[in-house]
Amino acid sequence: MSTFLGLPSSRHADLSVGHLAAPRDFPDAARDALRDSRLRRNLAHATSTIRAKRAAVVDEVPDWEALRAAGSAIKAEAMARLPELLEELERNVTARGGQVHWARDAAEANQTVLRLARAAGTPDAPVTEVVKVKSMATQEIGLNEALEAGGITPIETDLAELIVQLGHDQPSHILVPAIHRGRSEIREIFLREMADVDPGLTDDPRQLAEAARRYLRDKFLSARVAVSGANFAIAETGTLMVVESEGNGRMCLTLPQTLITVMGIEKVLPRWADLEVFLQLLPRSSTGERMNPYTSAWTGVTPGDGPQTVHLVLVDNGRTAALADELGRTALHCIRCSACLNVCPVYERTGGHAYGSVYPGPIGAVLTPLLTGLDGSSHNDSLPYASSLCGACFDACPVKIDIPALLVRLRAEHVERAAAARRVPTSEAVAMAAAAYVMADADRFARAGRAARLGRPLVRRGRVRLPVPPPLSGWTASRDVPTPPRETFREWWARTRGGAS
Ligand code: SF4
C-alpha cells in the first residue's frame, strides 16, 4: 500500500485549471442574464420554494441559534487545528486500509485521480468509464475535463448534474446545478442525448426521473471505479461521509471495486460527535428536509463489503492561502448548503452562470477570490461587488459566516490594490480624498454644509436639473440626489437650542 505525502501549498489556485476563473466581469454577465426572462422565472420559482421549505423546518428547531453557534465553533476549531487534524485523518484512513494522497492544486489532483482510475484497470480491460457522485471539489478542479482528456468518460449520477452534463452546460447552483433549466428543456436534453430513451417521454418529473434511472442503471452495474466528494471527514476515526437525496451516491459508494474520494482539506471535522450538529444544520439549510434521505459513511476498506480499494485525495488548491487570512478563513467554514444562494436577491435575478466560478452566489463571491487571490486584473476581482450587502446570507448561513463583512473586506483590498497600481487617481478617489479633507475639520465641514445650500435650486425631485458632465453623470444617472437642506444641522441646532451644546 503506497501513501503519497505531499505538502500543502500557500499558493493561490491556478486560474487556468478547473472552474474558478470568471470568464467575464460580473456586471457584464449579469446584464445578459437579466435579459433572460425564462431563467428568471425558473430561478424565482425554485429559490422561493426552497426558501419556504427551509424556513418551515428551521422554525421547528427550538435551539437553532445554539446549533448555528456550535457549528461555527466546531469549524473555527477545525481551521485552527487543520494541519494536526489532517494528519490524524490520514493516519486513521491508512490504518483502516485506505490510501491518502495530497494534491497542492487542481492539476495535481486531476493527475492523481486519472492515475488511480487507470490503475484500477488491466491491459486487457482498461477503465474507460467512472461513475461520479455529485461533488463540488471535482467541479472546482475540472476533473471531468481531465478524465476525458485522459480517455476516461465520467458519468454524473446525480440527476441535476446529469442534466448539466448531458446539456453540455455548466452548473449554476451548488445544490441544484440545473436550477436554471425548466422541465421542457430537460425533456429536450434527454431526447437528444440518451440513446434508448422513450420517444414519447413527457416533461412529467416522474417520467424524467425514470428515464434518468434507466440510463444510469447499466452504468452503476458495470462501473469498476467511482469518484465522489465528501461532505465531512472525521479525523478521530478516518471516516468519510456523503449526504444526498437520491440514492445514486449510495450506489456509487458501494458497487464499484475502487472508490476515489476527492475532498477539499477544509472538510475535516475533529470528532464523530460533531456530526450531531452538522447533520441537523445541513439538510434543513440546504433542501429544507429534517434529515438527509441517504447518509453514507465509510471508514477505509471492509473486506468482502463495498469497494476494496479506497483512496482519499486531499486537495489544497488555494485553501492554505485563504487559511492564512484571519477573516478570509471563515469562508472555509462553508458546508455548501446553498442557503445563502436561495435568499440572495442578486443570485435570484442573475443565476449562477453570471458569477463564472463553480461557486456562485454570496459564498462564491467571497470564496472564489479567496482561493484564487485578487490579482488586480482577473474577472474574479469583480465578484466581491456582486452583492447588495443586504445581509440575508449572513442570517441564513447555518455556520454563521459573516459574508457581508468578507465582501466589504475584499472590496477594500481590491480598491487598495487598484489604487496602488494606478499612476493617475480615479475621479472617485479624488472625490473621496476631498471628502476626507473636508470632514477632517469641523469648521471646514460647517463651511461645506453652508456652501451646499447654494446648489439647492439645481436639484429637483432627486434629479439634477442641469446636464452633468462625465464622470459625475455616471453617478447621478443611477442615483437620486438629495436636495440640500435650507439650513444645516448646526444652524438648526443653534436656532432651536440657542447654541446650547
Ligand atoms: S456560506 Fe453558509 S449559507 Fe452559504 S453555502 Fe456555505 S454554509 Fe451554506
Side-chain angles (χ1 to χ4, degrees):
M1 189 171 303
S2 68
T3 299
F4 169 65
L5 273 173
L7 288 173
S9 165
S10 57
R11 274 186 286 126
H12 283 112
D14 179 355
L15 286 167
S16 67
V17 185
H19 296 288
L20 283 177
R24 292 200 288 163
D25 279 348
F26 180 81
D28 296 336
R31 218 166 278 126
D32 285 350
L34 287 171
R35 287 195 201 102
D36 186 342
S37 53
R38 180 153 79 165
L39 171 81
R40 284 217 310 281
R41 229 183 4 259
N42 290 345
L43 283 168
H45 174 69
T47 53
S48 60
T49 306
I50 306 176
R51 262 201 316 264
K53 277 179 75 183
R54 176 194 164 272
V57 293
V58 163
D59 275 354
E60 291 174 355
V61 185
D63 60 346
W64 182 252
E65 286 309 314
L67 275 172
R68 287 177 81 208
S72 175
I74 295 167
K75 280 290 186 179
E77 181 196 348
M79 293 307 116
R81 299 175 51 209
L82 196 57
E84 165 203 341
L85 291 176
L86 288 170
E87 283 176 8
E88 188 182 350
L89 175 70
E90 180 182 40
R91 269 196 310 279
N92 287 323
V93 169
T94 309
R96 288 162 177 81
Q99 299 172 47
V100 178
H101 314 262
W102 299 70
R104 273 175 294 215
D105 52 29
E108 218 168 82
N110 288 334
Q111 282 159 17
T112 306
V113 177
L114 190 57
R115 175 172 57 79
L116 297 173
R118 281 183 178 145
T122 61
D124 297 338
V127 168
T128 55
E129 277 187 356
V130 299
V131 286
K132 282 190 70 209
V133 188
K134 178 177 162 16
S135 139
M136 293 306 294
T138 60
Q139 291 281 355
E140 176 190 319
I141 61 176
L143 180 66
N144 285 7
E145 290 83 348
L147 287 172
E148 272 162 17
I152 295 180
T153 306
I155 310 285
E156 295 289 352
T157 64
D158 172 83
L159 177 58
E161 284 289 359
L162 179 67
I163 294 164
V164 169
Q165 187 179 39
L166 293 179
H168 309 287
D169 200 356
Q170 292 296 325
S172 63
H173 190 276
I174 292 177
L175 191 77
V176 200
I179 197 169
H180 55 291
R181 296 286 197 183
R183 283 192 266 158
S184 58
E185 290 176 280
I186 296 168
R187 174 179 168 271
E188 284 161 28
I189 292 171
F190 282 9
L191 285 174
R192 197 175 60 232
E193 302 285 334
M194 286 180 179
D196 299 323
V197 76
D198 176 2
L201 181 74
T202 71
D203 64 5
D204 172 36
R206 254 181 312 179
Q207 279 204 27
L208 295 172
E210 183 56 28
R213 223 171 272 139
R214 283 179 190 281
Y215 173 80
L216 290 172
R217 193 159 297 156
D218 282 346
K219 310 285 182 194
F220 285 132
L221 293 174
S222 60
R224 280 176 287 159
V225 179
V227 175
S228 83
N231 292 93
F232 307 105
I234 308 300
E236 76 172 357
T237 58
T239 305
L240 303 173
M241 180 170 279
V242 164
V243 294
E244 38 127 11
S245 298
E246 297 168 9
N248 63 297
R250 177 75 55 87
M251 302 281 269
C252 296
L253 298 168
T254 49
L255 290 176
Q257 278 297 296
T258 299
L259 173 59
I260 306 168
T261 300
V262 180
M263 186 188 98
I265 54 174
E266 81 282 13
K267 292 294 180 80
V268 68
L269 296 176
R271 297 157 294 262
W272 178 264
D274 297 331
L275 290 171
E276 177 199 341
V277 172
F278 290 104
L279 291 182
Q280 293 184 72
L281 288 174
L282 181 55
R284 286 177 197 262
S285 303
S286 57
T287 50
E289 291 165 308
R290 296 186 180 98
M291 63 184 289
N292 292 97
Y294 294 87
T295 301
S296 304
W298 66 102
T299 310
V301 174
T302 304
D305 185 13
Q308 295 301 292
T309 308
V310 169
H311 298 279
L312 170 62
V313 183
L314 291 168
V315 184
D316 188 307
N317 208 32
R319 285 161 175 79
T320 305
L323 195 71
D325 175 337
E326 213 168 307
L327 186 59
R329 67 165 56 179
T330 59
L332 298 176
H333 295 188
C334 175
I335 55 172
R336 312 279 190 265
C337 71
S338 70
C340 58
L341 276 65
N342 300 329
V343 296
C344 176
V346 176
Y347 176 87
E348 185 175 325
R349 282 155 186 84
T350 63
H353 289 160
Y355 295 80
S357 157
V358 68
Y359 298 114
I363 186 61
V366 294
L367 189 59
T368 305
L370 282 163
L371 293 177
T372 62
L374 287 170
D375 74 350
S377 62
S378 89
H379 299 296
N380 285 0
D381 290 11
S382 66
L383 290 176
Y385 298 92
S387 167
S388 63
L389 296 182
C390 67
C393 48
F394 185 25
D395 291 342
C397 179
V399 286
K400 296 179 82 161
I401 300 173
D402 191 347
I403 297 175
L406 284 165
L407 288 164
V408 171
R409 225 295 307 287
L410 287 168
R411 288 180 190 187
E413 189 184 323
H414 176 244
V415 167
E416 276 162 21
R417 275 177 192 234
R422 211 175 272 122
R423 289 168 68 189
V424 180
T426 60
S427 48
E428 187 188 11
V430 171
M432 288 300 161
Y437 172 76
V438 169
M439 290 178 181
D441 179 274
D443 286 340
R444 276 203 290 267
F445 188 64
R447 280 200 298 277
R450 287 196 294 273
R453 221 170 21 212
L454 298 175
R456 195 175 155 76
L458 299 177
V459 181
R460 189 150 181 235
R461 292 204 192 103
R463 315 303 310 168
V464 183
R465 297 170 81 182
L466 294 176
V468 179
L472 279 179
S473 57
W475 181 273
T476 55
S478 55
R479 290 173 180 83
D480 287 346
V481 179
T483 308
R486 285 180 200 286
E487 62 181 345
T488 66
F489 175 76
R490 284 155 189 261
E491 288 167 342
W492 171 83
W493 186 269
R495 180 168 58 79
T496 57
R497 309 286 158 99
S501 61

